[in-house]
Amino acid sequence: MKEISKIAMAALPLIFAGSSVFSQSLDDAKKAIDAEQYQKATSMLKNLTVTQADKDENYFYLGWVYILQDYPDSAKTVFNQGIAKNAKSALNYAGLGAVARLEKNSAGATTNFNQAISLAGKSSTPYLYVGKAYLLDPADAKAAADVLNKGKAVNGKDADLLVTLGDANRLLVKSSDALNSYEAALTANPKEASAIVAKGVLWKFANNFEQSEAEFKAALALDPNYGPAYREWAETDLRWAFNDPKMASAKVKEGLENYKKYLSLTDRSVESRIRYAEFLLLAGDYKALQAEVAELTKMSTNLKVQRYLGYSAVENKDYPTAVTALNKFMSEAGEKRIIPRDYIYLGRAQIGTGKDSLGINTLKKAIELDSTQADLYAEIGKTLFTKQRYVEAGDAYNTFIAKGKGVKLTDHFYEGLSYYYGFQKQYFSTNKEVAAKADTSLLTKADSAFAYVIDKTASSPYADAFLFRARTNDYKDADRNNIKGLAKPYYEKYIEVVNAKGAPTDQKGKTNLAEAYAYLGTLAEFKDKDEAKASENYTKARELDPANKSAQRYFQKKSSAGR
C-alpha cells in the first residue's frame, strides 16, 4: 500500500569488507525494509550478497523482502543459498518456513520453524521472523503470539519482537496486552517509530480515530520521513469514512492525500504501487484502480497486478478485460494462492460476457471454498431468472434464503416468481409430454413464498404478492369444470390494496386490475350463476382494459343473446 519517490542510489557499492561496514550496510537495508522501501532494500541486499557473500543474514533479509513482495519462489531460492553458506542459519530456516506457509505446506512450515528455533540459541530474531511468518495469515495470530512470547523470554528488550507481539495480540483482540507490548517496545527503544504507528492502528480498530491520528503525527514528529505512518493514516481515514457518513467525503480525500505522501517517501516500486492499488480497491475507486494496474501491467509480472486488474474491470463492467486478467492470474498463481474472492470476480466477469453457465459454476466454486459466501446464491438466482431458467433460479433463491445473511423480502418474492414462471413454462411447453407433466409442486413452493411476503408486509400490503398468489392458486384450481375459486380471496385483496392507493394510471396497472375483476366476473358467471355480479365485474374489467379477453367474450355473448 505504498509508493515511493525514486531513490538517489539504486545500490550501495561497498569498497571495504570490514565488519563495521557490513553491520552498517545491513542495518541500512533493514531500515529500508521497515520503511517499506523494498526496491531500495532489494538493491542493497543483492549487493551485500556479492560483497559479503559469506554472511547468511544477507540472504535471509533479501529473501524476506521477496516474501513481502509476494515472490515466494525467489525467496525460497535465496533462503536455500543462505543455508548453503551456513547450514545452521536459523533465520533462513525461518524463511523457508514462511515460504512453506505461503505454499500451504503445513508440515514443511512446522519442520522449518522447529529447525529455526532449535538453532536460535540466545538470539530472539529467529523467533521474531517465525512469528512474522505466522502473521502472514492473520488467522494464525495465536501461533504467532506463542512463538513470540518464547522469543520475549530470550530477549525481553527486542523492540521489533515486542511490536510484532503487540500486532499478534491485537489480532487476537487482546487490546490491553497489545498496548503493553507497544509501550514495552518504546521503553526498549524510544525511537521505535513502528511501535507508535502500531498504537495508532490499535486505536483505529477501536474506532478512536482522533487518538489514532495523534499517534501517527507523533511517529512523524519522531521521523518525518517514516512512510508507513502516512500509509496507516490513510487507511485510518478510510475506516473513519466508512464509520462516519458525515466525514466520508473529507476523509476519503484526506486518505488519498496521505497515501500520496506515503508513496513520495518510499521508492515508488512496483510493490508500493500494488499496495496503493489495494488502497484504491478498499476505497472503491475502481476507475483509478483500473488505470493504476493497467500501467503496472506494462512494468511488472507480479500476479497481484492481474488480480486487481480483473477486480476493477468487473466493477467497471469491462468484462472481457476482467476475464483475460483473472484467467491469467489463476492459471499462473496455482490453486494454493487462489482465494474465494478470485472465483467471485471471475464468475461475475464470465456472466458479464454471456457465459452464464460457466460463471454460475465459478461462483459455486467460491461457495465451496468459503461457505460464508452463501449470499452469492442471490446473484446466481438473479442470473438464472434473467436467462429464464426459472426452476433453477427458484432453487438458488431458496438456498440463499436458507443460508444467506442479507436476505430481503424481494428475495422471497423472486423465489416465488421463479417457481411460478417455472411451472408456467412447463405448462405452456410446445412439448405435449412436458406440458402434461408440469410439476405442480412448483406452485406449492411459489404459494409459500408469496404467503411469506404477504405475512411480513401486513402493515403495508405488497400488492404484487397478492396478484401472483392469486395467479398461482388459479393454476392450482386444476379442474376447470369444477372450479373452486382458490384464487378469489387473493384477487379480492389485490383489488382492495390497489384501489386504496388510488386508481392505477399506467397501462400495466390497469391490465392487472382488469385481470382481477375479470376473474371475479368469471367466477360469478360460471360458478355462482350470479349474472348481476358477473356483469358488474366484467364492466369494471372492460373499463380498465378494453382488450381483456374475458370481458370481450362476456359482452359479445350478451350482445348476441340480445339480438
Side-chain angles (χ1 to χ4, degrees):
M1 299 181 102
K2 327 156 195 181
E3 292 221 357
I4 312 160
S5 59
K6 291 185 177 179
I7 57 173
M9 296 182 292
L12 187 64
L14 300 181
I15 301 173
F16 306 102
S19 61
S20 62
V21 175
F22 159 71
S23 177
Q24 182 61 48
S25 298
L26 180 57
D27 187 57
D28 287 344
K30 289 162 68 175
K31 287 179 180 178
I33 295 172
D34 181 50
E36 299 176 9
Q37 297 173 339
Y38 299 133
Q39 185 170 291
K40 178 179 180 180
T42 300
S43 180
M44 295 172 72
L45 289 162
K46 282 183 176 179
N47 189 65
L48 285 170
T49 60
V50 174
T51 59
Q52 298 287 335
D54 60 328
K55 302 294 184 180
D56 57 279
E57 280 185 295
N58 294 334
Y59 297 91
F60 167 73
Y61 285 104
L62 177 58
W64 190 253
V65 175
Y66 286 140
I67 290 287
L68 297 175
Q69 293 174 311
D70 197 30
Y71 295 124
D73 292 340
S74 297
K76 187 174 185 177
T77 298
V78 177
F79 292 141
N80 279 319
Q81 289 174 348
I83 290 171
K85 298 296 180 180
N86 177 6
K88 296 184 178 181
S89 177
L91 281 174
N92 281 292
Y93 278 110
L96 287 178
V99 172
R101 287 190 56 71
L102 291 175
E103 294 176 342
K104 298 183 180 179
N105 179 0
S106 297
T110 299
T111 297
N112 283 296
F113 289 157
N114 288 342
Q115 183 74 343
I117 298 304
S118 70
L119 294 170
K122 296 181 179 181
S123 173
S124 59
T125 307
Y127 293 90
L128 166 64
Y129 281 95
V130 171
K132 284 180 177 287
Y134 277 120
L135 289 180
L136 292 172
D137 182 352
D140 290 321
K142 176 63 168 59
D146 289 344
V147 74
L148 290 165
N149 275 314
K150 292 177 181 178
K152 181 181 176 181
V154 173
N155 179 6
K157 295 183 178 181
D158 184 335
D160 287 340
L161 185 144
L162 291 168
V163 171
T164 307
L165 176 58
D167 292 344
N169 283 321
R170 172 176 56 77
L171 290 168
L172 292 169
V173 199
K174 294 182 177 180
S175 299
S176 296
D177 290 345
L179 184 59
N180 288 339
S181 289
Y182 298 143
E183 295 291 1
L186 287 168
T187 298
N189 180 8
K191 294 184 178 181
E192 187 67 49
S194 66
I196 303 174
V197 170
K199 287 169 63 180
V201 174
L202 184 65
W203 290 119
K204 174 183 75 173
F205 286 110
N207 289 343
N208 187 340
F209 303 117
E210 290 86 353
Q211 183 61 41
S212 186
E213 280 192 350
E215 298 291 355
F216 300 139
K217 290 176 181 178
L220 290 167
L222 185 66
D223 182 356
N225 296 317
Y226 191 62
Y230 280 112
R231 175 178 56 76
E232 292 292 358
W233 191 352
E235 292 172 9
T236 298
D237 284 327
L238 197 57
R239 185 179 175 94
W240 195 338
F242 289 153
N243 281 270
D244 187 350
K246 293 180 181 178
M247 299 291 289
S249 178
K251 286 301 170 182
V252 169
K253 182 178 179 180
E254 181 179 271
L256 288 169
E257 290 303 314
N258 279 325
Y259 220 105
K260 289 175 182 177
K261 290 177 182 176
Y262 160 74
L263 293 174
S264 72
L265 291 169
T266 52
D267 52 17
R268 297 196 69 83
S269 65
V270 168
E271 288 67 34
S272 298
R273 293 182 65 179
I274 288 174
R275 294 195 71 167
Y276 178 51
E278 291 170 352
F279 177 81
L280 292 172
L281 178 65
L282 289 172
D285 192 344
Y286 301 113
K287 289 185 178 179
L289 174 60
Q290 188 168 355
E292 178 71 16
V293 292
E295 285 297 315
L296 285 171
T297 59
K298 301 173 184 177
M299 60 186 74
S300 173
T301 59
N302 190 310
L303 287 176
K304 280 187 177 180
V305 175
Q306 297 297 327
R307 170 184 273 165
Y308 296 142
L309 178 59
Y311 288 5
S312 58
V314 169
E315 297 290 352
N316 293 323
K317 302 189 187 312
D318 182 3
Y319 299 117
T321 296
V323 169
T324 299
L326 289 169
N327 277 333
K328 179 177 177 60
F329 169 78
M330 297 174 82
S331 64
E332 295 183 16
E335 285 293 327
K336 291 181 179 180
R337 294 179 63 192
I338 295 172
I339 59 177
R341 195 179 193 184
D342 299 326
Y343 285 108
I344 292 172
Y345 273 101
L346 178 58
R348 289 170 177 168
Q350 290 166 337
I351 290 170
T353 56
K355 296 180 179 179
D356 306 298
S357 295
L358 182 61
I360 288 168
N361 287 335
T362 303
L363 291 178
K364 287 181 178 178
K365 177 69 173 178
I367 299 170
E368 288 175 13
L369 292 176
D370 181 3
S371 61
T372 65
Q373 298 292 340
D375 284 5
L376 290 172
Y377 280 112
E379 288 187 40
I380 293 171
K382 182 178 180 180
T383 299
L384 291 167
F385 187 90
T386 301
K387 299 303 176 181
Q388 299 183 10
R389 294 165 60 180
Y390 295 121
V391 177
E392 293 173 82
D395 291 342
Y397 278 114
N398 182 268
T399 302
F400 169 55
I401 289 166
K403 299 181 178 181
K405 296 180 180 178
V407 181
K408 301 176 182 177
L409 278 178
T410 51
D411 298 309
H412 288 274
F413 183 69
Y414 270 94
E415 178 194 12
L417 280 184
S418 299
Y419 287 131
Y420 170 79
Y421 285 128
F423 173 82
Q424 194 178 61
K425 188 175 182 179
Q426 294 176 10
Y427 188 77
F428 288 107
S429 173
T430 55
N431 185 321
K432 292 182 179 180
E433 185 176 347
V434 171
K437 295 180 180 179
D439 186 0
T440 55
S441 71
L442 299 175
L443 295 175
T444 301
K445 294 177 181 178
D447 189 52
S448 177
F450 295 135
Y452 182 89
V453 175
I454 289 169
D455 179 62
K456 296 300 180 182
T457 58
S459 60
S460 180
Y462 185 36
D464 280 358
F466 289 105
L467 176 64
F468 278 94
R469 194 171 189 196
R471 290 171 175 174
T472 299
N473 278 276
D474 193 29
Y475 277 119
K476 291 172 74 175
D477 227 345
D479 186 355
R480 308 311 286 181
N481 294 319
N482 185 28
I483 194 167
K484 297 177 183 178
L486 298 178
K488 182 182 178 182
Y490 308 116
Y491 272 127
E492 288 178 333
K493 189 64 178 179
Y494 176 71
I495 291 169
E496 176 190 328
V497 171
V498 170
N499 285 331
K501 297 179 180 179
T505 56
D506 63 298
Q507 189 53 53
K508 182 179 180 181
K510 291 179 180 180
T511 299
N512 289 340
L513 192 55
E515 173 191 325
Y517 281 120
Y519 175 86
L520 295 179
T522 302
L523 209 61
E525 179 185 8
F526 294 104
K527 184 177 187 297
D528 301 332
K529 309 300 181 182
D530 187 337
E531 188 62 27
K533 202 68 177 176
S535 180
E536 177 189 347
N537 282 294
Y538 281 131
T539 297
K540 290 178 180 178
R542 183 173 63 175
E543 289 172 352
L544 288 162
D545 181 14
N548 183 278
K549 292 183 178 180
S550 295
Q552 286 180 342
R553 176 202 56 77
Y554 176 78
F555 287 109
Q556 286 173 358
K557 177 183 175 183
K558 285 193 69 174
S559 177
S560 298
R563 288 176 185 172

